[in-house]
Structure formats: structure tokens, C-alpha cells
Amino acid sequence: MEQKKFDLNSIIGFALIFVIILWMMYNNRENEVKEQAKAKTEIAADKKAKAATTKEVANTIKDTTVADSDKVLKLQETLGSFAYSATLPSAKEDFTTIENEFIKLKIANKGGFIAEATLKNYKKIDKNSNELVALIKNNNVNFNLQLQTKDNRVLNTKDLFFEPTVSKVGENQILSMKLKAGANSYLEYKYVLKPKEYMLDFDIQSQALNSTLNTSNVADLQWDLKTYRNEKSISYENRYAEIYFENEGKVDYAGLGKQEDETLEKATFIAYKQHFFSSILLSQTPIENVKLSSTDLVNDEKIDTVFTKNFKSTLPLAFKNGELDYKMNWYLGPTDYRILNKYDKNIEEIVPLGWGIFGWINKFIFVPLFGFLSSFMGLGIAIIIFTILIKIAMSPITFKSFLSQAKMKVLRPEITEIGEKFSKDPMKKQQETMKLYNKAGVNPMAGCVPALIQIPFMYASFQFFPSAIELRQKGFLWADDLSSFDEIYKLPFHIPVYGDHISLFPILASIAIFFYMKMTSGDQMMAQPQQEGMPDMAKIMKIMIYLSPIMMLLFFNNYGSGLSLYNFISNLITIGIMIVIKRYFINSDKIHAQIQENKTKPKTESKFQRKMREMMEQAEAQKQLQKKKK
């Protein structure tokens, strides 16, 4: 058997393999130790960095000399990046004031919104009051921007602290309120107040927040306002308190119900109107899917005497390129048509001057004329002069109306005779009556047309005077405030519709309208013959003679005394014009002679008269045909 020999090469090979294995094991262990050491170093560095950040944030807290790590960490857990804003010196309940000649604004650090807005030139309730009109005060407002972060936090700006910075550019005061997520990342509300203006610029913009906020969703801007009572009559003021808005270029309002809700496709302004004062938020960029609501807070005007309405809006603000950028305006001031009109933003449409022709009369006649008169004379005298001028301008129309009534009155005996002659043939009676009108040169509609022309002016006055802020707290005779009722006696009880007081101007206006209707209705009843198949106009007119003054007395007792004064003077002047026209311009004998002369002259039928005659003849022919068939 062959004996195995010792192989030196094999031994050397195994030795080398063993050495290599030992070297690899040692090297792997050394790398593992280095990795562990590196990991420990990184963890330590991260802890050190966090500790440094916590210490830095904590050191910025006012009146804190020792790092309050727990407090800071809690802020960071709750607010995320916006915890930075809570560590700044401005993170306290404080306010920044900016003001001009017209308005004083206090902006809160917490929430960054207007916490007080006081109008310097207007007093609340009464001209002798020491309290100025404040549209915003004592937490009657909620202005909040709801933000969503990328780590699913929902933050409300009303709960967060902004950092104020005041500066001036020329005479303009600029207040920047920044909600900071870092030294160079923030949400900013920027207010710019100009001299002698109720309108201020208001911008909402963000910087470097696209990495913090969830910009795929909108940021909901919530604006709520409980409107304070500012006038003597809370029911009268509340009647004109409502939300106006511009939606897709059209101005409209939400209504005056107990609860009104609206959804707007594209809104460019929202106006919280409080009769004589308004808070208006305008946006240069239309805001989509805006939700509005209005709630009436006056259930009992004896008890609910502080607030009138609760207005709410939710405006979804969309992000552009990951940031917010909205150029806006605030208007906080009087609901004065002339002031609002100068801004050329369509906001003057919130003044309810009426639609169509009524609005045109107010905008182009009443507003400029009354504005001119009130600029250099007392408001009571201005109303009287204004009324006289309107009545003088309308006097030719009034004269034609009375002349037509006089002619109809002269023809009444002949019309009555025709009625008796053809009492059994209404169609024939109508034909003969039309022939008489044609021969005499009398148009039975001539008296109606002038009256119809005057109606738009009358209706326009009902819209104009309740909207005229010039009358507010301006007295005349016994009326302390021409924009409110002129109470001469306080009743110890409340009468439904009428109220708990007696106003004198509505009584005078009711007396004047009674005598005016007594005079005009008598002439009309004498002039217009009773037509078969028609209501008894004489009875209706007699009822209206008494009903109209009663309605005037009841409903106008709580209206502004300026409107009652206008109606009193208007009816008084009309009565005077009627007396003058009847005495000096209308002679029944001359009218009768002229009518008889007109009968002898050949007459050419107008197209309308010919058409009416042909229709009557056709009707008469059909009637005769039906009789023959029977």
C-alpha cells in the first residue's frame, strides 16, 4: 500500500485561506463598528440640531429665560411649521391702530383681522350721543382663513398670531400682518389706508408655503358679522339691512326673510348693508362657489335691541402656483350713493334706488338735485325746495290732466243722454260715445296719461328718501332726525302696524292726501260716466278717499319723517296748483263753446280711432248676425 506523503504546498494553501478568512472577518467587524459609530454620530447630530432649534424657538418666547422644551414641542406638534409664529414677540393679545380723518381701525395680532372699525364722523342712535358708529367692535366679527397642511393638519388663522409691521408710503399707511412658518415663509394680510378714504386696499398673499400647505385644496375664507343697531328705530333700520353681492357681473341681494341663503358662481364683492352703513369686501379676482347666509336677529324689537342681522360668508380662495395671491379692498363706511359711485366698482348699486325708470329718476334727477340743494341749505328747507321744483316741472302734465277732466265734465250730460238712449244696446252706446268724443275733439285717455307719468316720480320718492343718508340726524321743526320718525307723543301701549308713538308729519301728510283725493276724485266721478258691466267707480273712489289717508297714517308712522314731509308738501302744492288752474286757467263755459265749435269742424280719424271704430262695427255686425240666426 502506497504511503501518503506530507504535502507542504497544501499546508501553505490552507494557511493562506485561513489568514484571508481572518482578515475578512476582522475587516467586516471594523466596518460594522464604523457604521455604528457613524449612525450614532448622525443621531447625536440630529438630536443636537433639534435641541438647538427647540432652544432657539424657546428663547424667542417673551419673558422666557429658560428653554421650555415641552411647551415648544407641544406647539410644534399642534401647529407644525406655524409654531414659529407662536414664538415671536408679537404672539400676544395686542392691537395695531391705523386711522385717517374718517375711520379708525384696530387690527388684532391674533387672527390678523380688523377687530374694531369706528367711523369718526357719525354718531350712534342720536346726534347728542357720545358713542360713535362702530361697524366692528366687541367680537361681533369672525374673520378666519382655514388652512390645510400637507401633514393633514387643519389650522385656523383666527387662533394664530401675526406679526405686525407698520410703514408709510407718502401719506398712505401700510400695515403688514404676517403669519410666519419661518423667517422667509409666511401668510400675509396687507392693509393700505389712504387719507380721507373709507376704502382701503387689502391683499392676501403667501410666500414659500407651498411645501407646508396642501395647495391642491382651497383655503376657505370665513367672514361673519353681527351688525349693530345704529338708528333710533331698530325695525326701520332692520328693514334695509341685507346682504348685497355682485355675481357674474350682476348686482343682487339675498332677501329680507328670517333666514336667507345664497350660493354664488363668481362673486366680485360681498356687501353687508346696515341701512346707512356698509361693510364691503371686494376682490379683483372673481371667487367661485361663495356661500352666503343672512339671519334676522330681531324677534322682538323691545328685547332684541343690540343687533339687527347676522351675516355669514364662506369664500373659497384657490392657490395659484402653490401660493395665495388675492388683491382685495375693504369698504367700511356710509351707504352714500355719491361716495360709493366715485369708486367705479359698481358698489353704488347696493343703495336701493329702485329698478328701471324709478332708478333712473333717482340717479339722474333726485340724487344730483337734492345733493345740490342740501349742500348750501338746511335739510328740511332743502326737502321743501326740492318738492316745489319737482312739482313745478310736473305742472304742465298736471294742467293737461285737469283740462281733460274739465272737458269730460262738460260732455257728461251728452254722454248721459247717449247712455239713456241706447241703454239696451251697450255696443251702440259705446259707438255713439266714441263718435261724440271724436266730434268734440276730446280724448278720454288724456286725463289718465299725465297721471301715469307722475306715478314713477312718486314711486321714486319712496325709494329715494329712505336711502338718503344726508337726512340722518338732521332736524327740522319738531323732527330731531329726518331719517327716522318724528315722535311728538309716546304711547303707553303698542298698536299693531302703527307702533307705540305718534308722529306728526304722517298725520299732516294724511290730511293733505285726503283733501287732494277729495278734490280730484270728485272731478273724476263727475267726468267719467258709469259703464255697464264695469265696477262702480264712484263707490271705489269714495272708498279710496278714506282708505289712502288711513294707510298713509298707519304705515308712515314709523318711516323717516323726511319722506312724510315730502308727501305733505307735495300734496299741499298739488292742491294749490289745482285751485289756481281751476280758478284762472279753466273756464267751463269757454270749454263748452270750444267743444261745440269742434263738433262743426270736419274730423280726420286717427289710426287708433279708425281701428277702434272698425272693431266695434265688426262686433255689432256679429251681434246682429247671431240675432238673425236665432
Side-chain angles (χ1 to χ4, degrees), residues 352-414:
L353 295 178
W355 53 272
I357 189 172
F358 312 117
W360 300 339
I361 291 171
N362 276 324
K363 292 175 184 177
F364 302 116
I365 299 177
F366 283 12
V367 169
L369 177 59
F370 190 76
F372 170 73
L373 294 173
S374 62
S375 65
F376 62 89
M377 63 177 67
L379 270 297
I381 301 298
I383 290 175
I384 294 172
I385 300 301
F386 172 82
T387 311
I388 291 172
L389 293 176
I390 295 296
K391 283 298 176 181
I392 289 175
M394 300 295 291
S395 59
I397 297 174
T398 306
F399 176 77
K400 287 184 178 181
S401 179
F402 291 159
L403 181 61
S404 176
Q405 289 179 16
K407 289 180 178 180
M408 293 293 293
K409 186 177 179 180
V410 169
L411 285 177
R412 183 176 177 83
E414 296 182 56

Side-chain angles (χ1 to χ4, degrees), residues 447-501:
C448 299
V449 174
L452 291 174
I453 293 174
Q454 296 183 68
I455 288 176
F457 286 84
M458 180 184 68
Y459 183 80
S461 70
F462 282 89
Q463 297 291 107
F464 171 74
F465 283 99
S467 301
I469 193 173
E470 300 97 322
L471 302 178
R472 187 177 186 272
Q473 296 180 356
K474 298 298 190 298
F476 180 65
L477 299 179
W478 57 85
D480 295 328
D481 186 347
L482 287 168
S483 72
S484 188
F485 55 82
D486 56 312
E487 177 185 313
I488 58 169
Y489 182 74
K490 183 74 172 179
L491 297 173
F493 48 84
H494 183 273
I495 301 175
V497 181
Y498 186 73
D500 60 357
H501 63 273

Side-chain angles (χ1 to χ4, degrees), residues 543-601:
I543 294 172
M544 291 303 298
I545 288 173
Y546 297 97
L547 184 60
S548 295
I550 292 173
M551 292 176 63
M552 171 74 73
L553 187 63
L554 289 175
F555 291 104
F556 278 68
N557 191 61
N558 292 293
Y559 264 69
S561 53
L563 179 58
S564 298
L565 173 61
Y566 170 81
N567 279 285
F568 169 59
I569 298 299
S570 177
N571 287 312
L572 208 60
I573 293 172
T574 304
I575 291 171
I577 291 174
M578 286 173 60
I579 293 172
V580 170
I581 290 175
K582 287 183 177 181
R583 179 169 296 182
Y584 298 104
F585 294 94
I586 295 180
N587 187 308
S588 297
D589 295 334
K590 288 184 178 180
I591 292 173
H592 183 269
Q594 183 63 51
I595 288 175
Q596 297 306 318
E597 183 182 345
N598 290 341
K599 289 180 181 180
T600 62
K601 295 178 181 179

Side-chain angles (χ1 to χ4, degrees), residues 67-131:
D68 188 355
S69 299
D70 292 338
K71 181 178 180 179
V72 175
L73 287 173
K74 187 176 180 180
L75 284 172
Q76 289 177 328
E77 290 174 3
T78 305
L79 305 179
S81 300
F82 287 104
Y84 183 88
S85 65
T87 64
L88 300 175
S90 58
K92 58 183 178 179
E93 298 279 357
D94 203 357
F95 303 90
T96 303
T97 300
I98 56 175
E99 59 184 307
N100 60 18
E101 298 85 348
F102 293 165
I103 188 170
K104 180 179 180 181
L105 303 174
K106 289 178 67 175
I107 291 86
N109 284 11
K110 189 175 184 180
F113 58 84
I114 299 173
E116 287 188 20
T118 305
L119 306 184
K120 294 183 175 182
N121 299 325
Y122 295 94
K123 292 185 177 181
K124 186 174 181 178
I125 308 292
D126 187 273
K127 62 184 177 182
N128 298 318
S129 171
N130 294 323
E131 186 177 0

Side-chain angles (χ1 to χ4, degrees), residues 502-517:
I502 296 176
S503 300
L504 183 53
F505 275 129
I507 295 175
L508 296 176
S510 299
I511 294 171
I513 198 172
F514 171 78
F515 284 105
Y516 164 71
M517 294 198 69

